[in-house]
Amino acid sequence: MSDQRNHILGCACDLYLEDGLEGFSMRKLARQVGVTAPALYRYYEGREEVVLDVVREAYREFSSFLYQALEGRTPEERMRRAGEGYLQFALQHPRWYQMVFLLPDQLGIESFPEDIEDQGAAVHQFWVDRLRECMDAGLLKEDDPDEVAMTLWAHSHGFISLYQNGHLGVDEEGFQAALAASSTRMWCGMATESFARQIRERCCGETADGEPTPAAEQQREWEQGVA
Amino acid sequence: MSDQRNHILGCACDLYLEDGLEGFSMRKLARQVGVTAPALYRYYEGREEVVLDVVREAYREFSSFLYQALEGRTPEERMRRAGEGYLQFALQHPRWYQMVFLLPDQLGIESFPEDIEDQGAAVHQFWVDRLRECMDAGLLKEDDPDEVAMTLWAHSHGFISLYQNGHLGVDEEGFQAALAASSTRMWCGMATESFARQIRERCCGETADGEPTPAAEQQREWEQGVA
DNA sequence: GTCTATAATCCGATAGAC
DNA sequence: GTCTATCGGATTATAGAC
């Protein structure tokens, strides 16, 4: 029955999320399912087919985190929620985040089945849509959405993967703060002048105790300089 | 003799650069050296010791690419050459680039020996030095060098690792162009106003055939808007 | 459908002959 | 110093009994 196959897939996801891809063996999977290894071959042709089903689950989860952003009512709101969804997916499911960045050869296969390739293309299209509509709405400077997407993606992915691999030497709170500060700088560079002003007013305002932050002071000097 | 140990290390580097870390076994290494596996244990206590020597070679190469930047005669020139060195190291030695980002547990060990930790710390210090002197020279806005280093690092590493994993869908030329454009945007956000103007003049000039680039036109409009 | 048993490969590492 | 032979373990996958 497909019921047992579903149970196996669930265990396979648990196993991957626990031990990663190197520790993912049919024997361990069988132990987790509660049967012996050969029994798995009734439902799956081999290890490769199981892994590909796990990849599909990773994409499904990834997409659900991103596409909830479409509930936002303005281009700005959709973009904000998309970025937030991306970050939350990476933080809440680090192993699945790593999985959607795997290439076929890292799974020991020649190429992905077409349906998985399609999921990747859809995510890319989603981001291009977000950027395109922000440009049309006058929030971002007119530019090639593909190139801007690359910049945003590299910045976010770099931050996240350095953090996840322990190279930043900060805790999650420090990481979120650093990423937010860095993202603001980056958005200001790509935003139209009017939207950049909004961003700065929003982010570089005053601290809780009423003192202007050093960054905000500096920003003000800079704005006075160019005005 | 240490001569044979050196020969083994050379073969070990070749093997790692060819097959990566998963394909790195003592048996394969022995085949490459031209002896049988047990002979290796005359020179190395085990696989772990060999791998750590390969890591040391990776850091040695990495450092040599970075530290040549110290030959530059101004803070700006040293920074430019450091960035160029980082990029060239990543492009010319992708596997060694990956290796200097490995964590102990990805090598199956508890922690790195002290001398390797020291090499990592030295590289970080090198970058903080570059940023500190650019701020002192009035090229970059005064800021926490550690945080700015994080931003630069994340952006570059993100670009490079996405490119190396084939996720950008561009060739090396397109990659270098996209990275340069993206870096310029980022530098403008962190530079002092006078230096940012220099950067823009340098990068958003005219194309070879005398036509202003669309980006340059846009830049000009933007500058007129804020002036 | 599931089991036991097993084939065929890989691995790191060691003992002991030469 | 290098070899042969081997131990003890992992893995994917299959054959055949129940």
Side-chain angles (χ1 to χ4, degrees):
Chain A
M1 286 295 152
S2 185
D3 198 27
Q4 175 74 334
R5 177 164 164 139
N6 254 331
H7 178 221
I8 293 173
L9 176 55
C11 293
C13 290
D14 292 346
L15 179 58
Y16 166 73
L17 293 174
E18 217 173 296
D19 290 7
L21 200 59
E22 322 79 45
F24 187 89
S25 78
M26 294 297 270
R27 293 166 111 90
K28 275 196 203 167
L29 175 55
R31 226 174 296 145
Q32 191 131 345
V33 174
V35 298
T36 57
L40 300 176
Y41 291 83
R42 288 280 146 191
Y43 304 92
Y44 281 99
E45 201 149 316
R47 180 190 132 102
E48 179 182 314
E49 203 181 289
V50 185
V51 172
L52 285 179
D53 258 9
V54 176
V55 173
R56 286 186 184 92
E57 286 300 312
Y59 269 102
R60 203 189 315 281
E61 190 78 8
F62 186 36
S63 302
S64 80
F65 269 74
L66 285 184
Y67 298 169
Q68 53 83 14
L70 295 172
E71 297 166 19
R73 294 317 190 79
T74 64
E76 180 184 351
E77 180 66 9
R78 287 190 281 275
M79 178 62 88
R80 197 194 57 73
R81 289 180 63 162
E84 186 63 21
Y86 187 89
L87 176 62
Q88 286 307 315
F89 174 71
L91 289 177
Q92 292 176 26
H93 305 296
R95 279 234 154 84
W96 271 350
Y97 180 78
Q98 289 159 20
M99 178 153 263
V100 297
F101 281 99
L102 285 183
L103 286 177
D105 72 279
Q106 292 169 291
L107 297 177
I109 61 178
E110 196 66 28
S111 63
F112 283 125
E114 201 172 340
D115 67 302
I116 291 183
E117 291 280 1
D118 291 347
Q119 296 228 51
V123 167
H124 183 255
Q125 184 60 45
F126 169 85
W127 282 111
V128 172
D129 289 344
R130 298 285 73 68
L131 288 166
R132 178 79 266 161
E133 70 174 2
C134 280
M135 291 175 191
D136 290 347
L139 298 171
L140 296 184
K141 282 187 270 198
E142 197 62 30
D143 203 339
D144 177 2
D146 277 298
E147 192 173 325
V148 176
M150 234 184 265
T151 299
L152 285 180
W153 191 21
H155 176 253
S156 302
H157 176 65
F159 244 105
I160 289 167
S161 78
L162 287 174
Y163 168 66
Q164 287 187 343
N165 287 317
H167 288 293
L168 290 188
V170 296
D171 60 9
E172 184 168 315
E173 193 182 357
F175 161 69
Q176 295 218 35
L179 177 55
S182 185
S183 298
T184 298
R185 243 174 293 187
M186 181 156 270
W187 279 108
C188 284
M190 305 187 310
T192 57
E193 183 52 21
S194 68
F195 185 52
R197 213 186 319 268
Q198 280 183 45
I199 296 175
R200 279 195 292 268
E201 280 166 7
R202 212 176 303 158
C203 303
C204 306
E206 304 199 331
T207 55
D209 53 85
E211 285 283 298
T213 62
E217 272 190 307
Q218 213 175 341
Q219 192 61 51
R220 198 160 305 132
E221 282 169 21
W222 182 80
E223 282 177 328
Q224 286 168 351
V226 298
Chain B
M1 286 296 149
S2 185
D3 199 28
Q4 175 73 335
R5 177 164 163 139
N6 253 331
H7 178 220
I8 293 173
L9 176 55
C11 292
C13 290
D14 292 346
L15 179 59
Y16 166 74
L17 293 174
E18 218 174 295
D19 290 8
L21 200 60
E22 321 79 46
F24 187 89
S25 75
M26 294 297 272
R27 293 164 114 94
K28 274 195 202 169
L29 175 55
R31 224 174 298 144
Q32 191 132 345
V33 174
V35 298
T36 56
L40 300 176
Y41 291 82
R42 290 280 146 192
Y43 304 93
Y44 281 98
E45 201 150 315
R47 180 190 133 103
E48 178 182 313
E49 203 180 288
V50 185
V51 171
L52 286 179
D53 258 10
V54 175
V55 173
R56 286 186 184 92
E57 285 300 312
Y59 269 101
R60 202 189 316 283
E61 190 78 7
F62 187 36
S63 302
S64 79
F65 269 74
L66 284 185
Y67 297 168
Q68 52 86 14
L70 295 173
E71 297 166 19
R73 293 317 190 79
T74 64
E76 181 184 351
E77 180 67 8
R78 287 190 281 275
M79 178 62 88
R80 198 194 57 73
R81 289 179 64 162
E84 187 63 22
Y86 186 89
L87 175 62
Q88 287 306 315
F89 174 71
L91 289 176
Q92 292 175 26
H93 305 296
R95 278 234 155 83
W96 271 349
Y97 180 77
Q98 289 159 18
M99 179 152 262
V100 297
F101 281 98
L102 286 184
L103 287 178
D105 72 278
Q106 292 168 292
L107 297 177
I109 60 179
E110 196 66 26
S111 63
F112 282 126
E114 202 173 343
D115 68 301
I116 292 182
E117 291 280 1
D118 291 348
Q119 296 228 50
V123 167
H124 183 254
Q125 184 60 44
F126 169 85
W127 283 111
V128 172
D129 288 344
R130 299 285 72 69
L131 288 166
R132 177 80 265 161
E133 70 173 3
C134 279
M135 291 175 191
D136 290 347
L139 298 171
L140 297 184
K141 281 186 271 199
E142 197 62 29
D143 203 339
D144 177 1
D146 277 297
E147 192 174 325
V148 176
M150 232 184 265
T151 299
L152 285 179
W153 191 22
H155 176 253
S156 302
H157 177 63
F159 245 105
I160 289 168
S161 79
L162 286 175
Y163 169 65
Q164 287 186 344
N165 287 319
H167 288 292
L168 290 187
V170 297
D171 58 9
E172 184 167 315
E173 193 181 355
F175 161 69
Q176 296 220 33
L179 176 55
S182 186
S183 298
T184 298
R185 244 174 294 187
M186 180 157 269
W187 280 108
C188 284
M190 305 187 311
T192 57
E193 183 52 21
S194 68
F195 186 51
R197 213 187 318 269
Q198 280 182 46
I199 296 175
R200 281 195 291 267
E201 280 165 6
R202 212 177 300 159
C203 302
C204 307
E206 305 198 330
T207 55
D209 53 86
E211 287 283 299
T213 62
E217 273 190 308
Q218 214 176 338
Q219 192 61 49
R220 199 159 304 132
E221 282 168 22
W222 182 80
E223 282 176 330
Q224 286 168 353
V226 299

